[in-house]
Amino acid sequence: RTMKFLIRALLAALALVAPAFADDTPLDPAAGYFQIVHSVVPGVWVLTQPKFQVQPDGNVTVIEQSDGLVLVDAGGSAGSGRRIVEMVRGLSAKPVKAVIISQWHGDKAQGLTEILKAWPNARTISTAVTQAHLAKPATMNTPGAPDAAANDRQQKLIKAFSAQLANVAAKQSTATMRDHYAELSRVMAQWARDMDGTLTIPTRETFAEHLAIDDPRAPVRVMFLGRADTDGDAIVWLPKQRILVTGETVILPFPYGFQSYPSDWIGVLKKLRVMPFRILIPGHGLPQTNGVQIDHILAALEDIRAQVRPLANLTLEQAQAGVDATTQRHIFAGDDPWLAHWFDEFWLKPIIASAYKEAKGQLIVQDLRG
Protein backbone atom coordinates (compact mmCIF):
# COMPACT_ATOMS: atom_id res chain seq x y z
CA ARG A 1 0.00 0.00 0.00
CA THR A 2 0.94 3.60 -0.04
CA MET A 3 3.18 4.88 2.69
CA LYS A 4 0.44 6.98 4.33
CA PHE A 5 -1.68 3.91 5.04
CA LEU A 6 1.27 2.03 6.46
CA ILE A 7 2.37 4.92 8.64
CA ARG A 8 -1.17 5.42 9.93
CA ALA A 9 -1.35 1.79 11.00
CA LEU A 10 2.12 1.78 12.54
CA LEU A 11 1.50 4.96 14.47
CA ALA A 12 -1.67 3.55 15.93
CA ALA A 13 -0.15 0.18 16.70
CA LEU A 14 3.32 1.10 17.88
CA ALA A 15 3.30 4.78 18.98
CA LEU A 16 6.46 5.38 17.02
CA VAL A 17 9.07 8.05 17.63
CA ALA A 18 11.31 8.63 14.64
CA PRO A 19 15.06 8.35 15.36
CA ALA A 20 17.72 8.96 12.74
CA PHE A 21 18.80 5.64 11.28
CA ALA A 22 19.96 3.94 8.09
CA ASP A 23 20.26 0.19 7.53
CA ASP A 24 22.17 -0.81 4.40
CA THR A 25 22.08 -4.55 5.08
CA PRO A 26 20.73 -6.38 2.00
CA LEU A 27 17.38 -8.06 2.58
CA ASP A 28 17.35 -11.86 2.46
CA PRO A 29 15.10 -13.05 -0.41
CA ALA A 30 13.65 -15.56 2.06
CA ALA A 31 11.85 -12.64 3.73
CA GLY A 32 9.28 -12.88 0.94
CA TYR A 33 9.35 -9.18 0.05
CA PHE A 34 10.79 -9.59 -3.45
CA GLN A 35 8.33 -10.69 -6.10
CA ILE A 36 8.70 -14.04 -7.82
CA VAL A 37 7.30 -15.31 -11.13
CA HIS A 38 4.29 -17.61 -10.96
CA SER A 39 3.11 -19.21 -14.21
CA VAL A 40 -0.69 -19.11 -14.51
CA VAL A 41 -1.36 -20.59 -17.99
CA PRO A 42 0.83 -20.54 -21.11
CA GLY A 43 1.41 -16.88 -21.95
CA VAL A 44 0.13 -15.49 -18.63
CA TRP A 45 2.26 -14.97 -15.53
CA VAL A 46 1.87 -13.13 -12.26
CA LEU A 47 4.74 -11.51 -10.36
CA THR A 48 3.80 -11.82 -6.71
CA GLN A 49 5.27 -11.59 -3.25
CA PRO A 50 5.38 -15.15 -1.89
CA LYS A 51 3.87 -14.24 1.49
CA PHE A 52 1.94 -11.51 3.28
CA GLN A 53 3.83 -8.25 3.71
CA VAL A 54 2.97 -5.32 5.94
CA GLN A 55 4.57 -3.19 3.22
CA PRO A 56 3.11 -4.97 0.17
CA ASP A 57 4.05 -4.72 -3.48
CA GLY A 58 1.02 -5.30 -5.68
CA ASN A 59 0.80 -8.25 -8.04
CA VAL A 60 1.84 -7.61 -11.64
CA THR A 61 0.10 -9.75 -14.26
CA VAL A 62 1.94 -10.30 -17.56
CA ILE A 63 -0.19 -11.20 -20.59
CA GLU A 64 1.48 -12.24 -23.83
CA GLN A 65 -0.32 -11.10 -26.98
CA SER A 66 0.75 -11.70 -30.58
CA ASP A 67 2.65 -8.41 -30.90
CA GLY A 68 3.64 -7.60 -27.35
CA LEU A 69 2.94 -7.83 -23.65
CA VAL A 70 0.20 -6.27 -21.57
CA LEU A 71 0.92 -5.67 -17.88
CA VAL A 72 -1.66 -5.19 -15.19
CA ASP A 73 -0.06 -2.88 -12.63
CA ALA A 74 3.51 -1.71 -12.33
CA GLY A 75 4.89 -2.33 -8.85
CA GLY A 76 5.15 -0.01 -5.90
CA SER A 77 8.50 1.77 -6.20
CA ALA A 78 11.37 2.59 -8.52
CA GLY A 79 13.28 -0.42 -7.18
CA SER A 80 10.32 -2.69 -7.74
CA GLY A 81 9.85 -1.30 -11.24
CA ARG A 82 13.45 -2.11 -12.15
CA ARG A 83 13.07 -5.67 -10.88
CA ILE A 84 9.82 -6.05 -12.84
CA VAL A 85 11.57 -4.98 -16.04
CA GLU A 86 14.18 -7.70 -15.57
CA MET A 87 11.60 -10.36 -14.74
CA VAL A 88 9.44 -9.46 -17.74
CA ARG A 89 12.47 -9.57 -20.06
CA GLY A 90 13.17 -13.04 -18.73
CA LEU A 91 9.68 -14.18 -19.73
CA SER A 92 9.49 -12.88 -23.31
CA ALA A 93 11.52 -10.97 -25.88
CA LYS A 94 8.37 -9.10 -26.90
CA PRO A 95 8.02 -5.47 -25.88
CA VAL A 96 5.56 -4.25 -23.30
CA LYS A 97 2.81 -2.60 -25.39
CA ALA A 98 0.46 -1.54 -22.58
CA VAL A 99 0.35 -1.13 -18.80
CA ILE A 100 -3.05 -1.10 -17.11
CA ILE A 101 -3.05 0.51 -13.66
CA SER A 102 -5.85 -1.04 -11.63
CA GLN A 103 -6.06 1.69 -8.96
CA TRP A 104 -4.24 4.73 -7.64
CA HIS A 105 -2.58 3.15 -4.59
CA GLY A 106 1.19 3.46 -4.75
CA ASP A 107 1.89 -0.28 -4.71
CA LYS A 108 0.21 -0.51 -8.12
CA ALA A 109 1.57 2.56 -9.89
CA GLN A 110 4.88 3.79 -8.51
CA GLY A 111 7.05 1.47 -10.60
CA LEU A 112 5.57 2.81 -13.83
CA THR A 113 8.34 5.31 -14.61
CA GLU A 114 10.95 2.54 -14.59
CA ILE A 115 8.86 0.35 -16.90
CA LEU A 116 8.48 3.25 -19.31
CA LYS A 117 12.24 3.76 -19.35
CA ALA A 118 12.48 0.26 -20.81
CA TRP A 119 9.42 0.54 -23.10
CA PRO A 120 8.72 4.25 -23.63
CA ASN A 121 6.05 3.67 -26.28
CA ALA A 122 3.84 1.50 -24.09
CA ARG A 123 0.27 2.64 -23.61
CA THR A 124 -0.63 3.44 -19.99
CA ILE A 125 -4.28 2.98 -19.12
CA SER A 126 -6.56 3.49 -16.11
CA THR A 127 -9.97 4.77 -15.20
CA ALA A 128 -10.28 8.55 -15.38
CA VAL A 129 -10.69 8.71 -11.60
CA THR A 130 -7.45 6.81 -11.06
CA GLN A 131 -5.65 9.04 -13.54
CA ALA A 132 -6.83 12.11 -11.62
CA HIS A 133 -5.43 10.74 -8.36
CA LEU A 134 -2.11 9.86 -9.97
CA ALA A 135 -1.83 13.39 -11.36
CA LYS A 136 -1.72 14.85 -7.83
CA PRO A 137 1.72 14.15 -6.33
CA ALA A 138 0.72 15.78 -3.04
CA THR A 139 -2.02 13.19 -2.70
CA MET A 140 0.32 10.34 -3.60
CA ASN A 141 3.11 11.44 -1.22
CA THR A 142 5.66 11.03 -4.00
CA PRO A 143 6.64 13.78 -6.46
CA GLY A 144 5.72 13.81 -10.13
CA ALA A 145 9.21 14.96 -11.11
CA PRO A 146 12.63 14.58 -9.44
CA ASP A 147 12.61 16.48 -6.13
CA ALA A 148 15.71 15.92 -3.99
CA ALA A 149 14.28 17.55 -0.87
CA ALA A 150 11.03 15.55 -0.96
CA ASN A 151 12.95 12.36 -1.64
CA ASP A 152 15.26 13.02 1.30
CA ARG A 153 12.33 13.63 3.66
CA GLN A 154 10.69 10.39 2.62
CA GLN A 155 13.92 8.41 3.00
CA LYS A 156 14.46 9.70 6.52
CA LEU A 157 10.89 8.88 7.49
CA ILE A 158 10.94 5.30 6.20
CA LYS A 159 14.36 4.60 7.73
CA ALA A 160 13.13 5.99 11.04
CA PHE A 161 10.27 3.51 11.04
CA SER A 162 12.66 0.70 10.20
CA ALA A 163 14.83 1.62 13.18
CA GLN A 164 11.90 1.93 15.56
CA LEU A 165 10.55 -1.44 14.49
CA ALA A 166 13.87 -3.01 15.45
CA ASN A 167 13.37 -1.55 18.93
CA VAL A 168 9.79 -2.83 19.06
CA ALA A 169 11.00 -6.30 18.08
CA ALA A 170 13.20 -6.51 21.15
CA LYS A 171 10.23 -5.78 23.43
CA GLN A 172 7.91 -8.53 22.16
CA SER A 173 6.88 -11.22 24.61
CA THR A 174 7.19 -14.16 22.20
CA ALA A 175 9.99 -15.24 19.90
CA THR A 176 7.55 -15.48 16.99
CA MET A 177 6.47 -11.85 17.29
CA ARG A 178 10.07 -10.71 17.88
CA ASP A 179 11.06 -12.42 14.64
CA HIS A 180 8.16 -10.88 12.73
CA TYR A 181 8.97 -7.34 13.86
CA ALA A 182 12.69 -7.80 13.23
CA GLU A 183 11.94 -9.01 9.72
CA LEU A 184 9.55 -6.09 9.15
CA SER A 185 12.34 -3.72 10.17
CA ARG A 186 14.59 -5.23 7.49
CA VAL A 187 11.77 -5.10 4.93
CA MET A 188 11.24 -1.42 5.67
CA ALA A 189 14.95 -0.77 5.19
CA GLN A 190 14.72 -2.45 1.78
CA TRP A 191 11.61 -0.42 1.00
CA ALA A 192 13.60 2.74 1.72
CA ARG A 193 16.16 1.65 -0.86
CA ASP A 194 13.40 0.84 -3.35
CA MET A 195 11.59 4.14 -2.80
CA ASP A 196 14.73 6.21 -3.40
CA GLY A 197 13.94 8.32 -6.48
CA THR A 198 10.39 6.99 -6.86
CA LEU A 199 7.98 9.18 -8.83
CA THR A 200 4.25 9.05 -9.48
CA ILE A 201 2.96 9.85 -12.95
CA PRO A 202 -0.57 9.74 -14.40
CA THR A 203 -1.61 7.32 -17.10
CA ARG A 204 -1.85 8.61 -20.68
CA GLU A 205 -5.21 7.00 -21.50
CA THR A 206 -8.47 6.55 -19.61
CA PHE A 207 -11.73 4.75 -20.12
CA ALA A 208 -15.18 5.09 -18.62
CA GLU A 209 -16.73 1.61 -18.54
CA HIS A 210 -14.96 -0.65 -21.06
CA LEU A 211 -11.72 -0.76 -23.03
CA ALA A 212 -10.53 -3.57 -25.32
CA ILE A 213 -6.99 -4.54 -26.30
CA ASP A 214 -7.81 -6.99 -29.07
CA ASP A 215 -5.64 -9.91 -30.06
CA PRO A 216 -6.36 -13.33 -31.58
CA ARG A 217 -4.24 -15.07 -28.96
CA ALA A 218 -5.17 -13.32 -25.70
CA PRO A 219 -7.74 -10.53 -26.01
CA VAL A 220 -7.94 -8.26 -22.98
CA ARG A 221 -11.06 -6.53 -21.71
CA VAL A 222 -10.71 -3.78 -19.11
CA MET A 223 -13.80 -2.85 -17.10
CA PHE A 224 -14.99 -0.44 -14.44
CA LEU A 225 -17.76 -2.18 -12.53
CA GLY A 226 -18.17 0.38 -9.76
CA ARG A 227 -16.41 1.74 -6.71
CA ALA A 228 -14.95 -0.88 -4.40
CA ASP A 229 -11.61 -0.65 -2.58
CA THR A 230 -11.13 2.70 -4.35
CA ASP A 231 -13.29 5.02 -6.41
CA GLY A 232 -11.69 3.91 -9.69
CA ASP A 233 -10.89 0.18 -9.53
CA ALA A 234 -10.23 -1.43 -12.93
CA ILE A 235 -11.03 -5.12 -13.49
CA VAL A 236 -9.29 -7.06 -16.29
CA TRP A 237 -10.88 -10.03 -18.05
CA LEU A 238 -9.22 -12.49 -20.42
CA PRO A 239 -12.22 -14.15 -22.13
CA LYS A 240 -10.25 -16.83 -24.01
CA GLN A 241 -8.29 -17.95 -20.97
CA ARG A 242 -11.20 -17.15 -18.61
CA ILE A 243 -8.84 -15.34 -16.24
CA LEU A 244 -10.12 -12.56 -14.00
CA VAL A 245 -7.59 -10.01 -12.71
CA THR A 246 -9.25 -8.16 -9.86
CA GLY A 247 -6.77 -5.66 -8.48
CA GLU A 248 -7.48 -4.95 -4.80
CA THR A 249 -11.18 -5.65 -5.20
CA VAL A 250 -10.11 -9.16 -4.16
CA ILE A 251 -6.84 -9.82 -2.32
CA LEU A 252 -5.33 -12.35 0.07
CA PRO A 253 -4.99 -13.05 2.94
CA PHE A 254 -7.49 -10.29 3.84
CA PRO A 255 -8.75 -7.13 2.15
CA TYR A 256 -7.76 -3.55 3.01
CA GLY A 257 -10.52 -1.21 4.10
CA PHE A 258 -9.01 2.26 4.01
CA GLN A 259 -11.43 4.90 2.68
CA SER A 260 -13.33 2.25 0.72
CA TYR A 261 -16.97 2.03 -0.38
CA PRO A 262 -18.59 -0.94 1.39
CA SER A 263 -22.01 -0.94 -0.28
CA ASP A 264 -20.63 -0.39 -3.78
CA TRP A 265 -17.89 -2.96 -3.15
CA ILE A 266 -20.58 -5.54 -2.37
CA GLY A 267 -22.20 -4.81 -5.74
CA VAL A 268 -18.92 -5.24 -7.61
CA LEU A 269 -18.16 -8.53 -5.86
CA LYS A 270 -21.57 -9.88 -6.81
CA LYS A 271 -20.81 -9.05 -10.46
CA LEU A 272 -17.44 -10.81 -10.25
CA ARG A 273 -18.95 -13.86 -8.58
CA VAL A 274 -21.15 -14.70 -11.58
CA MET A 275 -18.39 -14.27 -14.16
CA PRO A 276 -17.30 -17.59 -15.76
CA PHE A 277 -13.67 -17.42 -14.64
CA ARG A 278 -11.43 -20.46 -14.26
CA ILE A 279 -8.64 -18.54 -12.55
CA LEU A 280 -8.75 -15.41 -10.41
CA ILE A 281 -5.60 -13.32 -10.03
CA PRO A 282 -5.98 -11.11 -6.95
CA GLY A 283 -4.27 -7.81 -6.24
CA HIS A 284 -2.09 -9.55 -3.65
CA GLY A 285 -1.57 -13.26 -3.17
CA LEU A 286 -1.42 -16.32 -5.38
CA PRO A 287 -3.90 -17.09 -8.18
CA GLN A 288 -7.11 -18.84 -7.13
CA THR A 289 -9.16 -21.45 -8.97
CA ASN A 290 -12.45 -20.71 -7.22
CA GLY A 291 -14.49 -17.83 -5.81
CA VAL A 292 -14.00 -18.61 -2.13
CA GLN A 293 -12.13 -15.37 -1.38
CA ILE A 294 -14.82 -13.35 -3.16
CA ASP A 295 -17.37 -15.04 -0.91
CA HIS A 296 -15.31 -14.33 2.22
CA ILE A 297 -14.89 -10.63 1.42
CA LEU A 298 -18.53 -10.28 0.38
CA ALA A 299 -19.74 -11.88 3.62
CA ALA A 300 -17.32 -9.73 5.66
CA LEU A 301 -18.59 -6.51 4.07
CA GLU A 302 -22.23 -7.45 4.57
CA ASP A 303 -21.52 -8.39 8.19
CA ILE A 304 -19.71 -5.13 8.94
CA ARG A 305 -22.45 -3.01 7.36
CA ALA A 306 -25.15 -4.88 9.28
CA GLN A 307 -23.32 -4.46 12.59
CA VAL A 308 -22.37 -0.81 12.08
CA ARG A 309 -25.74 0.47 10.87
CA PRO A 310 -27.43 0.45 14.32
CA LEU A 311 -24.28 1.97 15.89
CA ALA A 312 -24.24 5.08 13.68
CA ASN A 313 -25.62 7.26 16.49
CA LEU A 314 -22.52 6.50 18.57
CA THR A 315 -18.98 7.82 18.14
CA LEU A 316 -16.70 6.02 15.70
CA GLU A 317 -14.64 4.66 18.57
CA GLN A 318 -17.76 3.29 20.23
CA ALA A 319 -18.91 1.76 16.95
CA GLN A 320 -15.53 0.08 16.45
CA ALA A 321 -15.68 -1.32 19.98
CA GLY A 322 -19.21 -2.60 19.35
CA VAL A 323 -18.38 -4.74 16.30
CA ASP A 324 -17.74 -8.46 16.84
CA ALA A 325 -15.24 -9.66 14.22
CA THR A 326 -14.33 -12.99 15.82
CA THR A 327 -15.54 -15.05 12.87
CA GLN A 328 -13.94 -12.76 10.28
CA ARG A 329 -10.62 -12.75 12.12
CA HIS A 330 -10.58 -16.54 12.20
CA ILE A 331 -11.45 -16.82 8.49
CA PHE A 332 -8.82 -14.34 7.31
CA ALA A 333 -6.03 -14.77 9.89
CA GLY A 334 -6.61 -18.19 11.45
CA ASP A 335 -4.56 -18.67 14.62
CA ASP A 336 -1.66 -16.50 13.43
CA PRO A 337 -1.19 -13.57 15.88
CA TRP A 338 0.82 -11.58 13.32
CA LEU A 339 -1.89 -11.82 10.67
CA ALA A 340 -4.57 -11.16 13.28
CA HIS A 341 -2.86 -7.92 14.32
CA TRP A 342 -2.66 -6.61 10.77
CA PHE A 343 -6.17 -7.84 9.99
CA ASP A 344 -7.31 -5.41 12.68
CA GLU A 345 -5.13 -2.55 11.43
CA PHE A 346 -5.56 -2.93 7.67
CA TRP A 347 -9.09 -4.29 7.46
CA LEU A 348 -11.25 -4.12 10.55
CA LYS A 349 -10.63 -0.61 11.86
CA PRO A 350 -10.66 1.14 8.48
CA ILE A 351 -13.64 -0.79 7.06
CA ILE A 352 -15.69 0.00 10.15
CA ALA A 353 -14.76 3.66 9.64
CA SER A 354 -15.93 3.49 6.02
CA ALA A 355 -19.16 1.69 6.93
CA TYR A 356 -19.75 4.22 9.72
CA LYS A 357 -19.45 7.11 7.27
CA GLU A 358 -21.84 5.40 4.89
CA ALA A 359 -24.35 4.79 7.67
CA LYS A 360 -24.21 8.47 8.63
CA GLY A 361 -24.44 9.63 5.02
CA GLN A 362 -20.99 11.19 5.12
CA LEU A 363 -18.82 11.61 2.03
CA ILE A 364 -15.88 9.19 1.69
CA VAL A 365 -12.96 11.11 0.20
CA GLN A 366 -9.99 9.12 -1.10
CA ASP A 367 -6.95 11.23 -0.40
CA LEU A 368 -3.75 10.21 1.37
CA ARG A 369 -3.74 13.51 3.19
CA GLY A 370 -7.16 12.78 4.74
Side-chain angles (χ1 to χ4, degrees):
R1 277 199 102 62
T2 47
M3 184 172 66
K4 175 65 176 291
F5 291 155
L6 174 60
I7 289 172
R8 179 183 297 165
L10 290 175
L11 282 171
L14 306 175
L16 297 182
V17 177
F21 179 79
D23 183 354
D24 295 324
T25 305
L27 183 66
D28 186 343
Y33 169 81
F34 297 114
Q35 291 168 308
I36 61 173
V37 175
H38 185 92
S39 179
V40 181
V41 299
V44 179
W45 305 267
V46 61
L47 315 182
T48 183
Q49 290 176 319
K51 67 179 184 179
F52 166 75
Q53 292 292 334
V54 176
Q55 177 46 49
D57 210 350
N59 283 352
V60 177
T61 302
V62 183
I63 304 159
E64 184 175 16
Q65 293 191 324
S66 302
D67 60 345
L69 305 174
V70 176
L71 306 187
V72 182
D73 290 321
S77 63
S80 174
R82 289 188 289 270
R83 290 191 295 271
I84 288 165
V85 168
E86 293 307 309
M87 284 188 282
V88 169
R89 283 176 167 159
L91 296 173
S92 173
K94 294 179 181 179
V96 170
K97 59 185 282 190
V99 184
I100 301 161
I101 301 299
S102 67
Q103 61 172 217
W104 61 273
H105 290 161
D107 64 311
K108 305 296 186 295
Q110 290 179 163
L112 184 57
T113 55
E114 299 301 315
I115 291 172
L116 290 178
K117 287 178 184 178
W119 298 285
N121 296 322
R123 299 168 64 185
T124 57
I125 302 163
S126 70
T127 63
V129 172
T130 293
Q131 183 196 59
H133 282 296
L134 295 173
K136 295 187 292 185
T139 297
M140 296 303 302
N141 283 343
T142 50
D147 183 330
N151 190 70
D152 184 61
R153 287 193 299 272
Q154 186 183 70
Q155 286 289 298
K156 288 179 178 178
L157 184 59
I158 301 173
K159 291 175 181 178
F161 278 111
S162 176
Q164 187 62 27
L165 284 164
N167 296 335
V168 171
K171 299 176 182 178
Q172 296 303 303
S173 59
T174 68
T176 297
M177 293 299 283
R178 283 195 295 274
D179 290 346
H180 278 306
Y181 275 109
E183 184 175 274
L184 177 55
S185 175
R186 294 188 291 271
V187 165
M188 289 292 288
Q190 179 62 51
W191 189 46
R193 292 188 283 271
D194 285 347
M195 286 296 291
D196 193 8
T198 295
L199 305 176
T200 299
I201 59 171
T203 55
R204 297 164 179 161
E205 299 179 43
T206 65
F207 69 98
E209 296 181 356
H210 301 280
L211 182 143
I213 305 177
D214 288 321
D215 179 70
R217 173 178 181 163
V220 171
R221 302 290 180 263
V222 193
M223 306 173 289
F224 174 66
L225 300 179
R227 301 183 303 182
D229 182 52
T230 76
D231 47 3
D233 295 289
I235 304 294
V236 177
W237 172 238
L238 279 61
K240 278 201 169 183
Q241 289 79 9
R242 290 170 55 196
I243 294 175
L244 185 63
V245 187
T246 66
E248 286 198 8
T249 302
V250 180
I251 65 173
L252 283 89
F254 44 75
Y256 301 144
F258 298 97
Q259 301 171 345
S260 58
Y261 301 87
S263 60
D264 294 354
W265 198 343
I266 288 170
V268 172
L269 289 172
K270 288 180 177 179
K271 294 175 185 177
L272 297 182
R273 195 65 184 89
V274 298
M275 292 185 68
F277 63 87
R278 293 190 302 112
I279 298 172
L280 183 152
I281 300 177
H284 299 282
L286 291 173
Q288 307 292 296
T289 56
N290 55 50
V292 170
Q293 189 70 353
I294 295 178
D295 294 339
H296 286 332
I297 297 173
L298 180 58
L301 285 164
E302 290 176 332
D303 178 42
I304 291 293
R305 290 188 74 233
Q307 290 197 58
V308 169
R309 195 176 300 114
L311 304 177
N313 60 326
L314 305 177
T315 67
L316 173 59
E317 291 73 19
Q318 289 171 328
Q320 288 175 326
V323 171
D324 180 3
T326 304
T327 299
Q328 287 193 33
R329 190 177 291 106
H330 177 73
I331 288 171
F332 289 118
D335 297 324
D336 187 327
W338 182 249
L339 287 182
H341 174 74
W342 296 107
F343 165 86
D344 286 351
E345 296 298 328
F346 283 174
W347 169 245
L348 188 60
K349 292 178 183 177
I351 198 62
I352 292 173
S354 294
Y356 179 82
K357 285 187 175 182
E358 279 194 347
K360 295 180 75 70
Q362 297 176 351
L363 182 66
I364 296 174
V365 178
Q366 295 217 321
D367 188 329
L368 292 186
R369 295 168 295 182

